[in-house]
Each structure stands twice: as C-alpha cells, then as structure tokens.
Amino acid sequence: MPETRIADVVVPEILSDMVTAQISPYMDFLRTGIATKDYGNKDISEGGHFAKVPFYDQLTGEDEVITDSSSLVPGKITTDTDIGVVCHRGKAWASRDLAKILSGDDPQKEIAKQVAKFWGKKFANACIATLNGVFDASTGTLKDTHRVKTGADSSAAVILSAGDIVKAASKLGDAMTEFDCIIVHSLVYADMIRAKLVSFPALNDPNTVDLTKNPGKFLGLDIIVTDYAPVTAGGTAPFNLYTCYLAKKGSMYFGMQKAIMTESDRDILAQKDVLATTAHFVPHLKLVKWNSTDTNPTNTLLATASKWTKVADDNKFIGMVALVVNATQN
C-alpha cells in the first residue's frame, strides 16, 4: 500500500488560511489582550526590517494664572518614535514526522492545528525574550523603574504573594489598579495553587483545582504559565529567582508582516516530502524601542538588554512590571 504524501492531502494556500485562523487560542499574549495586532495604524505588510511608530510626548508644564497684564506662554509639543524589529522565522517537517497525522481522517485540519500550536508557542517565546531583555536585572532599560525583587538569595524562600503583587503594581503609582494579567513560570504557578491563591471562576468550590482548562485567576488577574519566563541562580542553591510579569491589556504589540505561509515540496535526494512554514512578525513592548541596527534577531538578541531603550516620557505609559520571586521547588 503506497504511503500518503503531503502533496496528496495538503493545499498550501488553504492550509495557510487555516493556520492563521486557528493560532489565536495558542498565542496567550493575544488571547488575553496583552498584545494587540495593531499599533498606531502601522502597516508593516510592505516589508522592511523595523516597525516605526511616531507618537506625541505627554503634555507637560504648570498651568498659568490668567491676568489682564500677561499672556499665556505656549509650550512645545514634541514627538518621538517607537521602533519594533521584525523577526523572520521558519520551520520544516518531513513526511516521516507527519506520518501519524497524514494517516488520519482529516489530515489537513490536524496539520493546521499542530502548526498553529507550534507557532503560537514560538511567538509567545519571542515575546518573553523581548521582556527578558527590557527587564534585565543588570542593564535593562526598565530595571529601575519597572522591576521589583522580593525573592531571597538565601535563607527562607519567598514565594509569590498578594503583598508582593501590590508592591510591584505600585511601581506605576495611581495606575497600579489597571493590570489585567500575570505571567509566571510553572513552578511559581504550582506554588500559587498550593497556597490556594488561584481561583477557577467556573467552579463553585474555591478549594477545587481544574488544570484541564485555563489556568484560572490570581487576584482577578488572568494567568499565563510559561517555562520560558526567566530563571536565574540565586546566591545560595537552590535559591533560584523566577521573574513574573504583571501586564496591562494593550501593553505589547504583536504585528504580522505576512500571514504564516506554508509550502510543500519533494526532497528527491532524501526521497521524502517536506512541509515548510515561515512567519514574519514583530514582538514588542510598546514605548521601549529597538535601539540597534541589527535586523532579524534571534531570541537571544531579543533578550539582550543593550538592544532596547525606553522612549516613554512617563513610566505609567508602559503597562508592564517585573516581579522576581523564589519557588519552593527548584
């Protein structure tokens, strides 16, 4: 019986549309609203290596007393530019990798689901890498204004608590009540569940845990769980430090220069079919610009602190704060 080939069951144009339609549930930053697909009506589909978004700085200065003997002094309205960087990525699978899927009842539908899930995870990892660079403890552009460390380097471990969240949120002053989501490592999330800090609104019993659906809520915040969140060694083992991120909706931008493209071909030398996918996207924290001439960065470069510079003239405009804690299991 001849084997099923990719070309027999996949129509690349249709598959590309199916992947694009299915990716949102697998992309937590879009699902929770942390990232928007639009930023200042910027159109990046025409190509280029950067997404440049001009914006007006906040109006500043003191109000003036109106008198009959003096005129108001006009203030200046200044502008600046936020810059995101385009990432060009790809991944290919051979027919042997897809053998089980190809033998199914609806292989194109299942392949679309698996490809969407794959890229959703990779997009999220790129977003986290961007945050890791911006909030880098040593030289990150937001390390002083938007970062709080409560975790211990030795002695008793300090796990995530409501008090820590309040301390971190207060970095934004009277904007501290505007957060919508928290991003945590799986070990931190496990501590939150054990401490009964996570609620599952769909369940009537507050002591019941349901890990089969969404991660629940913490202090009313949506939760994103990812092991791509940074872990660094503390002063004394096993006191590792785990960075969590408090985020507001719309604080990030995730632009697609092109929809995910799929192609299939035959590798005659290896005697196998190949399915290839490509993605061109911009993972970006708004008002922290890419400050480098480097193009098409890897996740390692995205996580490099020196590549980013804050351009917001008011810290409250950047809707993200980092909180560093311990976990009970390292």
Side-chain angles (χ1 to χ4, degrees):
M1 180 177 179
E3 66 176 9
T4 303
R5 297 180 54 183
I6 291 176
D8 295 332
V9 298
V10 169
V11 179
E13 296 81 3
I14 297 177
L15 180 62
S16 296
D17 291 340
M18 293 174 67
V19 171
T20 300
Q22 293 187 44
I23 200 166
S24 290
Y26 301 110
M27 176 50 174
D28 289 335
F29 286 80
L30 291 174
R31 177 182 58 81
T32 58
I34 292 177
T36 63
K37 294 182 179 180
D38 178 70
Y39 186 16
N41 297 317
K42 180 65 180 178
D43 182 9
I44 60 173
S45 64
E46 295 179 356
H49 296 298
F50 305 102
K52 298 182 179 181
V53 181
F55 63 93
Y56 290 103
D57 288 328
Q58 185 184 26
L59 299 179
T60 59
E62 299 296 329
D63 57 345
E64 303 174 40
V65 176
I66 299 176
T67 68
D68 294 334
S69 60
S70 63
S71 301
L72 296 177
V73 179
K76 292 183 179 180
I77 300 177
T78 59
T79 62
D80 206 335
T81 302
D82 195 0
I83 302 175
V85 62
V86 181
C87 301
H88 307 280
R89 308 282 176 86
K91 178 64 179 177
W93 296 273
S95 53
R96 67 172 70 96
D97 301 322
L98 304 173
K100 184 176 291 188
I101 298 176
L102 292 173
S103 63
D105 294 333
D106 193 343
Q108 179 155 278
K109 181 179 179 180
E110 184 60 27
I111 288 175
K113 176 183 175 182
Q114 296 294 339
V115 172
K117 188 174 182 179
F118 173 86
W119 280 114
K121 178 69 70 174
K122 298 309 176 184
F123 291 160
N125 290 351
C127 287
I128 291 289
T130 298
L131 298 181
N132 294 349
V134 168
F135 290 98
D136 180 81
S138 299
T139 58
T141 189
L142 299 183
K143 70 179 182 66
D144 296 322
T145 58
H146 292 73
R147 184 177 183 274
V148 172
K149 177 187 173 187
T150 60
D153 294 319
S154 60
S155 187
V158 181
I159 64 172
L160 182 66
S161 69
D164 294 334
I165 293 297
V166 173
K167 184 175 182 179
S170 66
K171 277 286 189 177
L172 297 194
D174 58 9
M176 65 182 292
T177 61
E178 299 175 6
F179 290 103
D180 301 287
C181 184
I182 184 169
I183 304 166
V184 297
H185 189 279
S186 62
L187 292 182
V188 176
Y189 178 62
D191 281 338
M192 293 161 60
I193 291 179
R194 282 193 288 268
K196 297 184 179 180
L197 297 174
V198 178
S199 63
F200 297 86
L203 303 178
N204 294 324
D205 184 359
N207 295 314
T208 301
V209 175
D210 183 0
L211 297 181
T212 63
K213 298 180 176 64
N214 64 65
K217 288 183 177 290
F218 172 60
L219 299 180
L221 303 173
D222 289 325
I223 303 171
I224 292 177
V225 182
T226 172
D227 284 344
Y228 212 69
V231 182
T232 56
T236 304
F239 286 92
N240 292 337
L241 299 171
Y242 296 79
T243 300
C244 313
Y245 295 109
L246 284 175
K248 298 180 183 181
K249 289 184 178 180
S251 59
M252 296 190 73
Y253 166 60
F254 189 85
M256 294 292 293
Q257 195 172 68
K258 294 181 181 179
I260 295 175
M261 301 296 294
T262 61
E263 297 178 275
S264 63
D265 204 352
R266 178 74 175 171
D267 185 342
I268 60 174
L269 297 181
Q271 292 293 297
K272 62 183 179 184
D273 288 344
V274 175
L275 176 69
T277 63
T278 56
H280 309 268
F281 58 96
V282 180
H284 187 67
L285 178 61
K286 293 178 182 178
L287 300 179
V288 182
K289 74 175 182 180
W290 181 253
N291 191 38
S292 172
T293 58
D294 289 335
T295 59
N296 192 20
T298 61
N299 283 357
T300 299
L301 278 181
L302 289 175
T304 301
S306 61
K307 304 296 181 183
W308 300 99
T309 298
K310 179 173 65 175
V311 292
D313 63 334
D314 188 327
N315 291 329
K316 297 177 184 178
F317 291 168
I318 299 175
M320 189 86 68
V321 172
L323 172 62
V324 183
V325 299
N326 299 125
T328 56
Q329 296 181 5
N330 290 289

